[in-house]
Amino acid sequence: MNAFAAATDALFADPNLGETALWQAGGIGPGVPVRVIRRRPDAVVEFGASRALMATVLIDLRRTEAATIDEGDLVVIGADTFKVIGTPSSDAVGLVLTCEAVKV
């Protein structure tokens, strides 16, 4: 394991950042336990000359736990269920996948 992988594992294990979740491929089945980091940054969207502030949900997962996560999959965090709405993107070193999601 290299230093980046060790640091990533430490971040996901931290109870202040990481959360236990279930990943349901295709939105079905009992799910696979994973650790996630949930982020809710605001995005500024422009419509012609006006701008709107939209709340977004991003969910980070370790590639080692959910390498095949894809659009349409579900991530259940506590009582909240989120649907992945786009193709996940990877970080620069390929350790973390970031998924844009909506609450269902």
Side-chain angles (χ1 to χ4, degrees):
M1 176 182 304
N2 66 35
F4 291 112
T8 298
D9 288 345
L11 288 173
F12 277 86
D14 185 320
N16 297 301
L17 295 174
E19 301 176 83
T20 300
L22 287 176
W23 162 46
Q24 295 176 308
I28 56 173
V32 176
V34 294
R35 291 287 293 175
V36 301
I37 296 176
R38 183 177 10 180
R39 298 184 285 142
R40 295 177 186 253
D42 289 335
V44 176
V45 180
E46 296 187 18
F47 297 99
S50 62
R51 299 180 341 152
L53 190 63
M54 295 180 57
T56 61
V57 176
L58 299 176
I59 299 173
D60 292 336
L61 299 101
R62 289 181 286 188
R63 186 181 292 273
T64 57
E65 292 184 327
T68 59
I69 193 164
D70 203 2
E71 185 174 357
D73 291 359
L74 297 180
V75 178
V76 181
I77 306 170
D80 298 329
T81 300
F82 298 93
K83 183 175 184 177
V84 177
I85 60 170
T87 302
S89 60
S90 181
D91 68 336
V93 291
L95 297 173
V96 177
L97 293 169
T98 299
C99 305
E100 187 174 1
V102 294
K103 191 171 180 180
V104 293

